Amino acid sequence: RTGAARRARGRSGQRPVVRGLALPAGPDLRHFLRAAAAEHPGPSPEPLPEPSSASGAPKVYLETYGCQMNVSDTDIAWAILQKNGYARTKELSEADVVLLVTCSVREKAEQAIWNRLQHLKVLKAQRPQARAPLRIGILGCMAERLKEEILHREKLVDVVAGPDAYRDLPRLLAVAESGQQAANVLLSLDETYADILPVQTSAGGMTAFVSIMRGCDNMCSYCIVPFTRGRERSRPIASILQEVRMLSDQGVKEVTLLGQNVNSFRDLSEVQFQSVAAPGLSRGFSTVYKAKPGGLRFAHLLDQVSRIDPEMRIRFTSPHPKDFPDEASVLQLIQERHNICKQLHLPAQSGSTRVLEAMRRGYTREAYLELVHHVRDSIPGVSLSSDFITGFCGETEEDHQQTVSLLQEVRYNIGFLFAYSMRQKTRAHHRLQDDVPADVKKRRLEQLIATFREEAARANAALVGQAQLVLVEGPSKRSASELCGRNDGNIKVIFPDTELEDAAECGAPGRAQPGDYVMVKVTSAGSQTLRGVPLCRTTLTRAAASH
Protein backbone atom coordinates (compact mmCIF):
# COMPACT_ATOMS: atom_id res chain seq x y z
CA ARG A 1 0.00 0.00 0.00
CA THR A 2 1.05 3.59 -0.53
CA GLY A 3 1.90 5.82 2.42
CA ALA A 4 -1.27 7.80 1.74
CA ALA A 5 -3.37 4.65 1.96
CA ARG A 6 -1.74 3.65 5.23
CA ARG A 7 -2.38 7.09 6.72
CA ALA A 8 -5.97 7.06 5.54
CA ARG A 9 -6.46 3.70 7.25
CA GLY A 10 -4.88 5.04 10.43
CA ARG A 11 -7.31 7.97 10.49
CA SER A 12 -10.35 5.81 9.79
CA GLY A 13 -10.47 4.62 13.39
CA GLN A 14 -9.48 1.01 12.69
CA ARG A 15 -7.01 -0.86 14.80
CA PRO A 16 -3.39 0.17 14.04
CA VAL A 17 -1.29 -2.24 11.98
CA VAL A 18 1.11 -4.49 13.92
CA ARG A 19 2.01 -6.94 11.19
CA GLY A 20 5.72 -6.82 10.38
CA LEU A 21 6.87 -5.17 13.59
CA ALA A 22 10.13 -7.14 13.67
CA LEU A 23 13.18 -4.87 13.54
CA PRO A 24 16.30 -5.51 11.38
CA ALA A 25 17.59 -9.08 11.41
CA GLY A 26 19.14 -10.46 14.55
CA PRO A 27 17.92 -13.00 17.10
CA ASP A 28 18.00 -10.51 19.95
CA LEU A 29 15.46 -8.29 18.22
CA ARG A 30 12.59 -10.65 18.91
CA HIS A 31 12.28 -8.89 22.26
CA PHE A 32 11.01 -5.82 20.40
CA LEU A 33 7.72 -7.57 19.70
CA ARG A 34 6.98 -7.80 23.40
CA ALA A 35 6.50 -4.03 23.47
CA ALA A 36 3.54 -4.26 21.09
CA ALA A 37 0.94 -5.38 23.61
CA ALA A 38 -2.19 -3.42 24.41
CA GLU A 39 -5.37 -3.56 26.39
CA HIS A 40 -8.37 -2.01 24.59
CA PRO A 41 -6.27 -1.83 21.40
CA GLY A 42 -8.92 -0.44 19.08
CA PRO A 43 -11.28 2.53 19.33
CA SER A 44 -14.81 1.78 20.49
CA PRO A 45 -17.42 1.83 17.70
CA GLU A 46 -19.95 3.50 20.02
CA PRO A 47 -19.98 7.28 20.55
CA LEU A 48 -17.83 8.29 23.50
CA PRO A 49 -19.60 9.65 26.57
CA GLU A 50 -18.86 13.26 27.39
CA PRO A 51 -16.38 13.49 30.28
CA SER A 52 -17.90 15.05 33.36
CA SER A 53 -16.68 18.16 35.15
CA ALA A 54 -18.27 20.35 37.76
CA SER A 55 -17.37 23.51 35.83
CA GLY A 56 -18.22 22.40 32.30
CA ALA A 57 -15.33 21.14 30.18
CA PRO A 58 -13.06 18.71 32.04
CA LYS A 59 -9.67 20.25 32.81
CA VAL A 60 -6.44 18.48 31.93
CA TYR A 61 -3.05 19.20 33.48
CA LEU A 62 -0.01 18.08 31.43
CA GLU A 63 3.55 17.61 32.68
CA THR A 64 6.43 16.87 30.32
CA TYR A 65 9.59 14.97 31.25
CA GLY A 66 12.62 14.12 29.12
CA CYS A 67 13.58 15.02 25.59
CA GLN A 68 12.30 17.55 23.05
CA MET A 69 10.30 14.81 21.34
CA ASN A 70 8.22 14.62 24.51
CA VAL A 71 7.57 18.37 24.31
CA SER A 72 6.26 17.78 20.78
CA ASP A 73 4.22 14.78 21.96
CA THR A 74 2.66 16.94 24.67
CA ASP A 75 1.52 19.41 21.99
CA ILE A 76 0.04 16.54 19.94
CA ALA A 77 -1.78 15.01 22.91
CA TRP A 78 -3.20 18.38 23.89
CA ALA A 79 -4.39 19.07 20.32
CA ILE A 80 -6.29 15.76 20.35
CA LEU A 81 -7.85 16.40 23.75
CA GLN A 82 -8.77 19.99 22.91
CA LYS A 83 -10.73 18.79 19.88
CA ASN A 84 -12.56 16.36 22.15
CA GLY A 85 -13.88 18.95 24.58
CA TYR A 86 -11.14 19.22 27.18
CA ALA A 87 -9.83 22.48 28.65
CA ARG A 88 -6.22 23.09 29.68
CA THR A 89 -5.21 24.20 33.15
CA LYS A 90 -1.84 25.23 34.55
CA GLU A 91 -3.06 24.68 38.11
CA LEU A 92 -2.73 21.14 39.39
CA SER A 93 -5.46 21.73 41.99
CA GLU A 94 -8.00 22.53 39.24
CA ALA A 95 -7.32 19.39 37.18
CA ASP A 96 -9.81 16.61 36.53
CA VAL A 97 -7.15 14.72 34.57
CA VAL A 98 -3.37 14.72 35.15
CA LEU A 99 -1.22 13.38 32.32
CA LEU A 100 2.54 12.83 32.65
CA VAL A 101 4.46 12.58 29.35
CA THR A 102 7.36 10.37 30.36
CA CYS A 103 10.91 9.33 29.48
CA SER A 104 12.61 5.92 29.79
CA VAL A 105 16.08 6.63 28.47
CA ARG A 106 17.65 6.39 31.96
CA GLU A 107 16.60 4.94 35.30
CA LYS A 108 16.76 8.39 36.89
CA ALA A 109 14.13 9.67 34.46
CA GLU A 110 11.75 6.87 35.43
CA GLN A 111 12.39 7.35 39.14
CA ALA A 112 11.29 10.98 38.79
CA ILE A 113 7.91 9.71 37.57
CA TRP A 114 7.51 7.22 40.41
CA ASN A 115 8.29 10.02 42.87
CA ARG A 116 5.77 12.30 41.19
CA LEU A 117 3.11 9.60 41.38
CA GLN A 118 3.52 9.45 45.16
CA HIS A 119 2.67 13.15 45.32
CA LEU A 120 -0.32 12.62 43.05
CA LYS A 121 -1.46 9.71 45.22
CA VAL A 122 -1.90 12.12 48.11
CA LEU A 123 -3.68 14.62 45.85
CA LYS A 124 -6.03 11.90 44.61
CA ALA A 125 -6.83 10.75 48.17
CA GLN A 126 -7.57 14.29 49.31
CA ARG A 127 -9.92 14.99 46.41
CA PRO A 128 -13.27 16.37 47.73
CA GLN A 129 -16.10 13.89 47.36
CA ALA A 130 -18.19 16.54 45.63
CA ARG A 131 -15.79 16.42 42.68
CA ALA A 132 -15.36 13.57 40.25
CA PRO A 133 -12.38 11.33 41.05
CA LEU A 134 -9.03 12.60 39.79
CA ARG A 135 -7.82 10.60 36.77
CA ILE A 136 -4.08 10.05 36.32
CA GLY A 137 -2.46 9.01 33.06
CA ILE A 138 1.07 7.97 32.09
CA LEU A 139 1.97 8.72 28.47
CA GLY A 140 5.03 8.14 26.31
CA CYS A 141 8.10 5.92 26.58
CA MET A 142 7.72 4.82 30.20
CA ALA A 143 4.13 3.80 29.45
CA GLU A 144 5.39 1.68 26.56
CA ARG A 145 8.15 0.04 28.60
CA LEU A 146 6.41 -0.54 31.96
CA LYS A 147 2.70 -0.83 31.21
CA GLU A 148 1.98 -3.75 33.54
CA GLU A 149 3.97 -2.38 36.47
CA ILE A 150 2.40 1.06 36.11
CA LEU A 151 -1.14 -0.35 36.09
CA HIS A 152 -0.65 -2.74 38.99
CA ARG A 153 1.59 -0.71 41.31
CA GLU A 154 -0.79 0.63 43.97
CA LYS A 155 -3.60 0.85 41.38
CA LEU A 156 -2.98 4.59 41.18
CA VAL A 157 -2.82 5.12 37.43
CA ASP A 158 -6.04 5.09 35.39
CA VAL A 159 -4.72 5.49 31.83
CA VAL A 160 -1.55 4.28 30.10
CA ALA A 161 -0.85 5.37 26.52
CA GLY A 162 2.29 4.72 24.47
CA PRO A 163 3.77 7.21 21.97
CA ASP A 164 1.68 5.83 19.09
CA ALA A 165 -1.63 5.77 21.00
CA TYR A 166 -2.40 9.45 21.59
CA ARG A 167 -5.34 9.38 19.15
CA ASP A 168 -6.92 6.87 21.54
CA LEU A 169 -6.68 9.17 24.58
CA PRO A 170 -10.34 10.37 24.51
CA ARG A 171 -11.57 6.75 24.51
CA LEU A 172 -9.12 5.67 27.19
CA LEU A 173 -10.21 8.55 29.41
CA ALA A 174 -13.85 7.68 28.80
CA VAL A 175 -13.14 4.12 29.95
CA ALA A 176 -11.40 5.55 33.04
CA GLU A 177 -14.53 7.64 33.75
CA SER A 178 -16.36 4.38 34.41
CA GLY A 179 -13.80 3.39 37.04
CA GLN A 180 -11.77 0.96 34.93
CA GLN A 181 -8.10 1.15 34.06
CA ALA A 182 -7.39 1.55 30.34
CA ALA A 183 -4.20 1.07 28.32
CA ASN A 184 -2.98 1.19 24.74
CA VAL A 185 0.73 0.74 24.09
CA LEU A 186 0.41 -0.63 20.59
CA LEU A 187 3.33 0.37 18.38
CA SER A 188 2.45 1.39 14.84
CA LEU A 189 4.36 0.98 11.59
CA ASP A 190 2.99 4.20 10.11
CA GLU A 191 1.64 6.57 12.78
CA THR A 192 3.20 10.02 12.42
CA TYR A 193 0.24 12.20 13.50
CA ALA A 194 0.69 13.93 10.15
CA ASP A 195 -2.89 15.23 10.06
CA ILE A 196 -2.77 16.71 13.57
CA LEU A 197 -1.51 20.26 13.86
CA PRO A 198 -0.11 20.47 17.40
CA VAL A 199 -1.20 23.22 19.76
CA GLN A 200 2.10 24.83 20.72
CA THR A 201 2.84 25.06 24.44
CA SER A 202 6.35 26.58 24.53
CA ALA A 203 6.84 29.60 26.77
CA GLY A 204 6.41 32.91 25.00
CA GLY A 205 5.41 31.28 21.75
CA MET A 206 8.56 32.45 19.94
CA THR A 207 10.01 28.98 19.40
CA ALA A 208 8.41 25.69 18.46
CA PHE A 209 9.27 22.04 17.89
CA VAL A 210 8.03 20.29 14.74
CA SER A 211 8.19 16.50 14.71
CA ILE A 212 9.24 15.25 11.25
CA MET A 213 9.62 11.54 11.98
CA ARG A 214 9.15 8.99 14.73
CA GLY A 215 11.02 5.91 15.89
CA CYS A 216 14.55 4.68 15.20
CA ASP A 217 16.09 1.74 13.33
CA ASN A 218 19.71 2.12 14.47
CA MET A 219 19.51 -0.35 17.36
CA CYS A 220 22.46 1.03 19.33
CA SER A 221 23.08 -1.57 22.01
CA TYR A 222 22.44 0.79 24.97
CA CYS A 223 19.30 2.47 23.64
CA ILE A 224 15.68 1.82 24.62
CA VAL A 225 14.18 4.14 21.97
CA PRO A 226 13.51 1.52 19.24
CA PHE A 227 11.55 -0.49 21.82
CA THR A 228 9.51 2.42 23.16
CA ARG A 229 9.00 4.42 19.96
CA GLY A 230 9.12 1.72 17.32
CA ARG A 231 10.36 1.64 13.73
CA GLU A 232 11.43 4.73 11.81
CA ARG A 233 8.72 6.42 9.76
CA SER A 234 8.64 9.93 8.34
CA ARG A 235 5.87 12.48 8.01
CA PRO A 236 4.91 13.60 4.50
CA ILE A 237 6.79 16.78 3.63
CA ALA A 238 3.53 18.52 2.71
CA SER A 239 2.18 18.18 6.26
CA ILE A 240 5.44 19.44 7.77
CA LEU A 241 5.44 22.49 5.50
CA GLN A 242 1.82 23.18 6.41
CA GLU A 243 2.69 23.17 10.10
CA VAL A 244 5.74 25.43 9.65
CA ARG A 245 3.67 27.90 7.60
CA MET A 246 1.06 27.95 10.36
CA LEU A 247 3.75 28.66 12.94
CA SER A 248 5.16 31.45 10.78
CA ASP A 249 1.70 33.02 10.53
CA GLN A 250 1.47 32.86 14.35
CA GLY A 251 4.71 34.83 14.69
CA VAL A 252 7.00 31.97 15.72
CA LYS A 253 10.62 32.97 15.07
CA GLU A 254 12.44 29.67 15.49
CA VAL A 255 11.49 26.11 14.56
CA THR A 256 13.40 22.98 15.51
CA LEU A 257 12.78 19.93 13.30
CA LEU A 258 12.65 16.91 15.59
CA GLY A 259 13.26 13.20 15.26
CA GLN A 260 15.34 10.45 16.83
CA ASN A 261 17.42 10.42 13.64
CA VAL A 262 16.37 13.38 11.49
CA ASN A 263 18.92 13.05 8.73
CA SER A 264 17.64 9.58 7.80
CA PHE A 265 14.29 11.24 7.01
CA ARG A 266 12.58 9.53 4.06
CA ASP A 267 9.16 10.70 2.86
CA LEU A 268 7.58 7.85 0.87
CA SER A 269 4.19 9.51 0.36
CA GLU A 270 4.92 10.61 -3.22
CA VAL A 271 4.85 7.64 -5.61
CA GLN A 272 7.24 9.21 -8.14
CA PHE A 273 10.07 9.33 -5.59
CA GLN A 274 9.77 5.78 -4.26
CA SER A 275 12.46 4.37 -6.56
CA VAL A 276 15.16 6.94 -5.79
CA ALA A 277 18.48 5.33 -4.91
CA ALA A 278 19.59 5.28 -1.28
CA PRO A 279 22.29 7.86 -0.44
CA GLY A 280 25.74 6.68 0.56
CA LEU A 281 26.96 6.86 4.14
CA SER A 282 29.79 9.02 5.37
CA ARG A 283 33.24 7.52 4.93
CA GLY A 284 34.00 4.99 7.65
CA PHE A 285 30.38 4.61 8.79
CA SER A 286 28.06 1.59 8.68
CA THR A 287 24.57 0.52 9.78
CA VAL A 288 22.95 -2.63 11.18
CA TYR A 289 20.29 -2.45 8.46
CA LYS A 290 20.32 -2.47 4.67
CA ALA A 291 20.32 0.79 2.72
CA LYS A 292 16.79 2.13 2.23
CA PRO A 293 16.05 3.31 -1.30
CA GLY A 294 13.23 5.66 -2.24
CA GLY A 295 11.65 8.79 -0.84
CA LEU A 296 12.41 12.47 -0.49
CA ARG A 297 15.33 12.99 1.86
CA PHE A 298 16.19 15.39 4.66
CA ALA A 299 18.13 17.79 2.42
CA HIS A 300 14.99 18.34 0.33
CA LEU A 301 12.89 18.94 3.45
CA LEU A 302 15.44 21.35 4.94
CA ASP A 303 15.57 23.26 1.66
CA GLN A 304 11.78 23.63 1.51
CA VAL A 305 11.36 24.56 5.20
CA SER A 306 14.06 27.23 5.00
CA ARG A 307 12.23 28.94 2.11
CA ILE A 308 8.98 29.48 4.02
CA ASP A 309 9.98 32.49 6.12
CA PRO A 310 13.34 34.28 5.77
CA GLU A 311 12.83 35.72 9.29
CA MET A 312 12.41 32.29 10.92
CA ARG A 313 15.43 30.41 12.23
CA ILE A 314 15.58 26.69 11.46
CA ARG A 315 17.31 24.12 13.66
CA PHE A 316 17.17 20.31 13.69
CA THR A 317 17.98 17.55 16.16
CA SER A 318 19.08 14.84 16.55
CA PRO A 319 21.04 13.66 13.54
CA HIS A 320 23.18 10.52 13.47
CA PRO A 321 26.81 11.06 12.37
CA LYS A 322 26.53 8.26 9.79
CA ASP A 323 23.83 10.08 7.81
CA PHE A 324 25.89 13.05 6.62
CA PRO A 325 26.76 11.69 3.17
CA ASP A 326 29.99 12.70 1.49
CA GLU A 327 28.22 14.94 -1.04
CA ALA A 328 27.38 17.14 1.97
CA SER A 329 24.10 18.52 0.57
CA VAL A 330 22.79 19.20 4.09
CA LEU A 331 26.04 20.85 5.14
CA GLN A 332 25.99 22.98 2.00
CA LEU A 333 22.46 24.14 2.76
CA ILE A 334 23.45 25.11 6.30
CA GLN A 335 26.35 27.12 4.96
CA GLU A 336 24.30 28.86 2.25
CA ARG A 337 20.97 29.67 3.95
CA HIS A 338 21.06 32.59 6.38
CA ASN A 339 18.11 31.25 8.39
CA ILE A 340 19.44 27.70 8.93
CA CYS A 341 21.44 27.91 12.14
CA LYS A 342 25.16 27.23 11.88
CA GLN A 343 24.95 24.64 14.62
CA LEU A 344 25.12 20.86 14.52
CA HIS A 345 24.49 18.17 17.08
CA LEU A 346 26.96 15.31 16.47
CA PRO A 347 26.35 12.69 19.19
CA ALA A 348 29.63 10.83 19.71
CA GLN A 349 28.69 8.79 22.84
CA SER A 350 32.31 7.71 23.38
CA GLY A 351 35.84 8.54 22.26
CA SER A 352 36.95 4.90 22.28
CA THR A 353 36.64 2.84 19.12
CA ARG A 354 36.36 -0.33 21.20
CA VAL A 355 33.43 1.07 23.21
CA LEU A 356 31.80 2.49 20.07
CA GLU A 357 31.87 -1.01 18.58
CA ALA A 358 30.23 -2.44 21.71
CA MET A 359 27.61 0.31 21.46
CA ARG A 360 26.99 -0.60 17.79
CA ARG A 361 27.40 3.02 16.75
CA GLY A 362 28.70 2.12 13.31
CA TYR A 363 31.86 4.25 13.28
CA THR A 364 35.33 4.54 14.77
CA ARG A 365 36.87 7.45 16.65
CA GLU A 366 38.89 8.25 13.53
CA ALA A 367 35.82 8.32 11.25
CA TYR A 368 34.00 10.59 13.70
CA LEU A 369 36.91 13.03 13.86
CA GLU A 370 37.16 13.06 10.07
CA LEU A 371 33.46 14.03 9.95
CA VAL A 372 34.05 16.82 12.49
CA HIS A 373 36.87 18.24 10.35
CA HIS A 374 34.67 17.97 7.25
CA VAL A 375 31.83 19.82 9.00
CA ARG A 376 34.14 22.62 10.16
CA ASP A 377 35.65 22.96 6.70
CA SER A 378 32.16 23.13 5.16
CA ILE A 379 30.61 25.52 7.71
CA PRO A 380 33.15 28.03 9.08
CA GLY A 381 32.35 29.05 12.63
CA VAL A 382 29.90 26.20 13.19
CA SER A 383 28.84 25.50 16.79
CA LEU A 384 29.00 21.83 17.75
CA SER A 385 27.17 19.92 20.46
CA SER A 386 27.31 16.25 21.41
CA ASP A 387 26.08 13.46 23.69
CA PHE A 388 28.35 11.23 25.77
CA ILE A 389 27.73 8.16 27.90
CA THR A 390 30.34 7.23 30.50
CA GLY A 391 30.70 3.89 32.25
CA PHE A 392 29.23 1.76 29.43
CA CYS A 393 29.62 -2.02 29.70
CA GLY A 394 33.29 -3.02 29.73
CA GLU A 395 34.61 0.57 29.59
CA THR A 396 38.19 0.65 30.90
CA GLU A 397 40.12 3.60 32.27
CA GLU A 398 41.95 3.80 28.94
CA ASP A 399 38.62 3.96 27.10
CA HIS A 400 37.51 6.74 29.43
CA GLN A 401 40.68 8.74 28.81
CA GLN A 402 40.08 8.47 25.07
CA THR A 403 36.69 10.11 25.61
CA VAL A 404 38.36 12.85 27.67
CA SER A 405 40.83 13.45 24.84
CA LEU A 406 38.01 13.59 22.26
CA LEU A 407 36.32 16.34 24.28
CA GLN A 408 39.62 18.20 24.34
CA GLU A 409 40.29 17.73 20.64
CA VAL A 410 36.83 18.69 19.33
CA ARG A 411 36.08 21.42 21.91
CA TYR A 412 32.28 21.36 21.81
CA ASN A 413 30.19 24.45 22.59
CA ILE A 414 27.36 22.44 24.15
CA GLY A 415 27.42 18.98 25.74
CA PHE A 416 25.02 16.45 27.25
CA LEU A 417 26.88 13.94 29.42
CA PHE A 418 25.44 11.04 31.42
CA ALA A 419 26.46 7.94 33.31
CA TYR A 420 25.32 4.70 31.66
CA SER A 421 22.02 3.26 32.86
CA MET A 422 21.20 -0.30 31.79
CA ARG A 423 17.77 -0.60 30.12
CA GLN A 424 15.78 -3.80 29.78
CA LYS A 425 15.06 -5.10 26.25
CA THR A 426 18.21 -3.51 24.80
CA ARG A 427 20.98 -5.58 23.25
CA ALA A 428 23.31 -4.53 26.06
CA HIS A 429 20.84 -5.91 28.60
CA HIS A 430 20.80 -9.30 26.86
CA ARG A 431 24.43 -9.55 25.74
CA LEU A 432 26.64 -7.39 27.99
CA GLN A 433 27.45 -6.87 31.65
CA ASP A 434 26.90 -3.53 33.41
CA ASP A 435 30.25 -4.02 35.10
CA VAL A 436 31.49 -0.48 35.78
CA PRO A 437 30.86 0.30 39.48
CA ALA A 438 28.58 3.24 40.29
CA ASP A 439 31.34 5.17 42.08
CA VAL A 440 33.61 4.78 39.04
CA LYS A 441 30.82 6.02 36.73
CA LYS A 442 30.34 9.02 39.02
CA ARG A 443 34.05 9.89 39.04
CA ARG A 444 34.37 9.51 35.27
CA LEU A 445 31.25 11.61 34.68
CA GLU A 446 32.59 14.37 36.90
CA GLN A 447 35.85 14.37 34.94
CA LEU A 448 34.02 14.50 31.61
CA ILE A 449 31.85 17.39 32.79
CA ALA A 450 34.87 19.31 34.07
CA THR A 451 36.74 18.72 30.79
CA PHE A 452 33.74 19.73 28.71
CA ARG A 453 33.22 22.96 30.66
CA GLU A 454 36.88 23.87 30.41
CA GLU A 455 36.94 23.34 26.65
CA ALA A 456 33.54 24.99 26.08
CA ALA A 457 34.73 28.07 27.97
CA ARG A 458 37.72 28.25 25.64
CA ALA A 459 35.52 27.79 22.56
CA ASN A 460 33.10 30.48 23.73
CA ALA A 461 35.93 32.85 24.69
CA ALA A 462 36.76 33.07 20.98
CA LEU A 463 33.46 34.96 20.55
CA VAL A 464 34.44 37.80 22.91
CA GLY A 465 34.58 41.04 20.93
CA GLN A 466 32.35 39.68 18.17
CA ALA A 467 28.81 40.80 17.37
CA GLN A 468 26.27 37.99 17.72
CA LEU A 469 22.69 37.99 16.44
CA VAL A 470 20.44 37.01 19.35
CA LEU A 471 16.80 35.97 19.25
CA VAL A 472 15.27 37.43 22.42
CA GLU A 473 13.38 34.88 24.53
CA GLY A 474 12.47 37.10 27.47
CA PRO A 475 13.80 38.47 30.77
CA SER A 476 16.81 36.80 32.35
CA LYS A 477 15.85 34.45 35.19
CA ARG A 478 18.39 36.10 37.49
CA SER A 479 17.69 39.76 36.77
CA ALA A 480 14.62 41.62 35.55
CA SER A 481 16.92 44.34 34.17
CA GLU A 482 18.50 41.93 31.71
CA LEU A 483 17.24 40.02 28.68
CA CYS A 484 18.10 36.51 27.63
CA GLY A 485 18.20 34.89 24.21
CA ARG A 486 20.24 32.55 22.04
CA ASN A 487 22.67 33.15 19.25
CA ASP A 488 22.91 31.22 16.01
CA GLY A 489 25.01 28.55 17.74
CA ASN A 490 22.26 27.98 20.34
CA ILE A 491 24.38 29.47 23.14
CA LYS A 492 22.59 31.53 25.78
CA VAL A 493 23.36 35.26 25.63
CA ILE A 494 22.48 37.73 28.43
CA PHE A 495 22.50 41.50 27.94
CA PRO A 496 21.04 44.65 29.56
CA ASP A 497 17.43 45.59 28.78
CA THR A 498 17.91 49.12 27.44
CA GLU A 499 16.49 51.44 24.78
CA LEU A 500 17.80 50.36 21.36
CA GLU A 501 17.90 51.86 17.91
CA ASP A 502 16.22 49.83 15.20
CA ALA A 503 18.62 49.15 12.33
CA ALA A 504 15.70 48.38 10.02
CA GLU A 505 13.66 51.54 10.70
CA CYS A 506 14.14 55.23 11.39
CA GLY A 507 11.63 55.29 14.25
CA ALA A 508 12.21 56.14 17.88
CA PRO A 509 14.39 53.87 20.02
CA GLY A 510 12.61 51.14 21.94
CA ARG A 511 13.18 48.15 24.17
CA ALA A 512 13.63 44.72 22.66
CA GLN A 513 10.69 42.33 23.03
CA PRO A 514 10.54 38.50 22.93
CA GLY A 515 10.83 37.50 19.29
CA ASP A 516 13.03 40.44 18.34
CA TYR A 517 16.47 39.97 16.85
CA VAL A 518 19.15 42.02 18.62
CA MET A 519 22.78 42.44 17.65
CA VAL A 520 24.89 41.98 20.78
CA LYS A 521 28.62 42.56 21.18
CA VAL A 522 30.03 39.82 23.40
CA THR A 523 32.05 41.13 26.35
CA SER A 524 32.57 37.94 28.39
CA ALA A 525 32.09 34.21 28.04
CA GLY A 526 31.67 31.19 30.29
CA SER A 527 31.21 27.52 29.50
CA GLN A 528 27.45 27.86 29.02
CA THR A 529 26.65 31.57 28.73
CA LEU A 530 27.79 34.67 26.87
CA ARG A 531 27.32 38.22 28.15
CA GLY A 532 27.37 41.35 26.10
CA VAL A 533 26.08 44.82 25.32
CA PRO A 534 23.21 45.32 22.86
CA LEU A 535 23.98 47.31 19.72
CA CYS A 536 20.65 47.53 17.91
CA ARG A 537 17.45 45.75 17.01
CA THR A 538 17.54 44.26 13.53
CA THR A 539 16.14 41.47 11.36
CA LEU A 540 17.52 38.09 10.39
CA THR A 541 17.72 39.08 6.74
CA ARG A 542 19.36 42.45 7.39
CA ALA A 543 21.90 40.91 9.75
CA ALA A 544 22.83 38.28 7.14
CA ALA A 545 23.23 40.95 4.44
CA SER A 546 25.61 43.00 6.61
CA HIS A 547 28.02 40.09 7.15
Side-chain angles (χ1 to χ4, degrees), residues 125-139:
Q126 295 175 346
R127 180 90 161 179
Q129 291 187 353
R131 299 180 66 183
L134 179 65
R135 302 302 176 191
I136 297 173
I138 298 295
L139 278 54

Side-chain angles (χ1 to χ4, degrees), residues 83-263:
K83 287 183 178 179
N84 282 270
Y86 285 81
R88 182 82 178 267
T89 180
K90 294 183 179 180
E91 299 297 329
L92 184 58
S93 60
E94 295 180 353
D96 301 298
V97 177
V98 176
L99 299 177
L100 309 183
V101 184
T102 63
C103 173
S104 262
V105 71
R106 283 174 294 278
E107 183 178 354
K108 186 177 180 180
E110 292 184 348
Q111 189 57 50
I113 300 300
W114 292 122
N115 294 343
R116 184 58 166 155
L117 284 174
Q118 289 306 305
H119 173 76
L120 294 177
K121 179 181 180 180
V122 175
L123 193 69
K124 195 170 187 176
Q126 295 175 346
R127 180 90 161 179
Q129 291 187 353
R131 299 180 66 183
L134 179 65
R135 302 302 176 191
I136 297 173
I138 298 295
L139 278 54
C141 292
M142 187 171 168
E144 191 71 45
R145 195 180 91 78
L146 295 173
K147 183 193 87 170
E148 295 298 333
E149 184 176 355
I150 292 169
L151 288 173
H152 297 145
R153 191 162 163 174
E154 301 181 46
K155 302 291 183 180
L156 175 65
V157 174
D158 305 286
V159 168
V160 173
D164 291 346
Y166 299 144
R167 292 182 193 271
D168 203 21
L169 275 174
R171 187 190 67 82
L172 295 174
L173 288 168
V175 171
E177 279 270 311
S178 68
Q180 302 178 60
Q181 289 182 309
N184 184 347
V185 294
L186 193 67
L187 288 172
S188 168
L189 288 175
D190 48 27
E191 178 62 271
T192 63
Y193 301 106
D195 59 320
I196 295 174
L197 291 179
V199 179
Q200 300 298 324
T201 59
S202 59
M206 293 299 108
T207 64
F209 297 121
V210 174
S211 176
I212 66 169
M213 62 187 300
R214 301 180 74 83
C216 184
D217 288 350
N218 285 318
M219 298 301 296
C220 299
S221 62
Y222 56 83
C223 188
I224 192 66
V225 168
F227 304 97
T228 59
R229 287 189 171 270
R231 294 285 301 273
E232 270 183 22
R233 63 270 191 204
S234 301
R235 276 177 71 180
I237 285 180
S239 76
I240 298 169
L241 298 181
Q242 179 189 6
E243 183 174 344
V244 175
R245 290 189 190 101
M246 178 191 75
L247 294 170
S248 174
D249 291 341
Q250 293 174 358
V252 169
K253 291 296 183 71
E254 181 178 290
V255 160
T256 301
L257 305 178
L258 285 183
Q260 257 71 40
N261 192 24
V262 291
N263 52 346

Side-chain angles (χ1 to χ4, degrees), residues 522-538:
V522 178
T523 55
S524 65
S527 63
Q528 301 174 68
T529 305
L530 304 175
R531 286 186 170 273
V533 293
L535 303 177
C536 64
R537 288 178 292 150
T538 186

Side-chain angles (χ1 to χ4, degrees), residues 28 218-223 288 348-350 352-364 389 391-396 399 420 422 426-433 435:
D28 58 300
N218 285 318
M219 298 301 296
C220 299
S221 62
Y222 56 83
C223 188
V288 297
Q349 307 300 357
S350 175
S352 162
T353 293
R354 195 185 68 81
V355 172
L356 289 169
E357 183 178 0
M359 290 179 165
R360 300 180 81 188
R361 289 292 290 170
Y363 52 84
T364 62
I389 297 171
F392 185 66
C393 306
E395 183 188 72
T396 65
D399 294 325
Y420 175 62
M422 177 75 84
T426 62
R427 182 183 178 90
H429 180 257
H430 294 292
R431 303 288 186 88
L432 303 175
Q433 294 293 319
D435 54 0

